[in-house]
Amino acid sequence: MNADFGLAHLWSQGDIVTKGTAILLLAMSLASWMVIIVKALDLRRYMRQSRKIESFWHAADFADGLSKLGTDPSNPFRVLALEGREAQAHHNAQPQLHDSLDASEWLTRTLRNSIDESTARLQSGLAVLASVGSTAPFVGLFGTVWGIYHALLAISAAGQASIDKVAGPIGEALIMTALGLAVAIPAVLGYNALVRGNKGVLQKLNRFAHDLHAYLVTGARVTAGSPSRVVPMKKGA
């Protein structure tokens, strides 16, 4: 490519619309990569925390099990266990409107609300990736169309329409489409990967909630085998 043409030349010769489009694409790229990195680190932490679930069930009592889950207040598994324990104690202690529900229904409602809150936290930021992935190609295409339009106007004003005069400006304009794709593709791939990772964490949360419900209602954890097989654990404070 001629040294007089390229991305730097496009920026220096571009008008406010061209520069604004490039800045918008840059901002979209930074936002998507920030979401991807932050959410990927969160997923890695949640998967590490999920491996402590079996240690929880091998604890001597509930309090010891909580300690084995760690002290991270954002740990969804610890939050789920705490919510379940508090719901059980609250239902048994105070006669209120929710007493019309039996203990099993009350615990189910509480555990489901906790999982819903964890789901909302897991899915936060994914809308950014979905928006970037779906709009970035069109933003780049708009920059290309605008660049071609102004390149053709400049060529027409100069009265020179030879291929060497046309190829450079048109090629520069097409860079905007490439930039749009470069922004959109990582956002789409990151979105799909994060959705798949979130699904794995939520499956573990739902399984843990099922075991917690069985334990808090019956005093024993139902195992993956026969429903009659339970693993007892003391209900320590």
Side-chain angles (χ1 to χ4, degrees), residues 109-172:
R109 178 180 179 276
T110 302
L111 294 175
R112 175 49 55 192
N113 287 342
S114 179
I115 290 177
D116 288 343
E117 292 175 1
S118 296
T119 301
R121 286 194 297 271
L122 284 170
Q123 293 180 345
S124 64
L126 295 185
V128 173
L129 295 182
S131 299
V132 170
S134 61
T135 61
F138 298 102
V139 174
L141 184 59
F142 169 77
T144 293
V145 172
W146 187 266
I148 290 175
Y149 169 70
H150 280 272
L152 292 177
L153 286 181
I155 292 171
S156 176
Q160 298 174 336
S162 59
I163 188 63
D164 60 322
K165 299 297 183 181
V166 174
I170 299 300
E172 284 182 344

Side-chain angles (χ1 to χ4, degrees), residues 31-44 46-47 119 121-130 186-202:
S32 62
W33 277 108
M34 185 178 300
V35 170
I36 290 171
I37 293 172
V38 171
K39 302 302 290 185
L41 292 175
D42 286 344
L43 275 178
R44 181 180 179 184
Y46 293 149
M47 294 303 293
T119 301
R121 286 194 297 271
L122 284 170
Q123 293 180 345
S124 64
L126 295 185
V128 173
L129 295 182
V188 172
L189 295 178
Y191 176 86
N192 292 335
L194 291 174
V195 167
R196 185 168 57 252
N198 288 347
K199 183 178 179 181
V201 173
L202 290 175

Side-chain angles (χ1 to χ4, degrees), residues 17-139:
V17 175
T18 301
K19 292 180 179 179
T21 302
I23 291 174
L24 178 58
L25 287 173
L26 177 61
M28 294 170 74
S29 179
L30 290 175
S32 62
W33 277 108
M34 185 178 300
V35 170
I36 290 171
I37 293 172
V38 171
K39 302 302 290 185
L41 292 175
D42 286 344
L43 275 178
R44 181 180 179 184
R45 184 174 73 254
Y46 293 149
M47 294 303 293
R48 185 169 61 249
Q49 291 167 345
S50 70
R51 290 194 286 269
K52 299 178 181 179
I53 293 176
E54 283 305 314
S55 298
F56 171 86
W57 291 116
H58 285 88
D61 54 38
F62 200 93
D64 185 36
L66 284 175
S67 68
K68 290 183 181 299
L69 288 177
T71 58
D72 184 358
S74 65
N75 183 344
F77 302 96
R78 177 181 173 83
V79 170
L80 192 64
L82 286 172
E83 291 283 350
R85 184 182 66 175
E86 291 174 5
Q88 181 194 45
H90 191 67
H91 186 277
N92 295 335
Q94 301 182 28
Q96 294 180 356
L97 183 61
H98 59 63
D99 287 338
S100 59
L101 301 173
D102 62 29
S104 177
E105 292 175 341
W106 175 246
L107 283 170
T108 298
R109 178 180 179 276
T110 302
L111 294 175
R112 175 49 55 192
N113 287 342
S114 179
I115 290 177
D116 288 343
E117 292 175 1
S118 296
T119 301
R121 286 194 297 271
L122 284 170
Q123 293 180 345
S124 64
L126 295 185
V128 173
L129 295 182
S131 299
V132 170
S134 61
T135 61
F138 298 102
V139 174

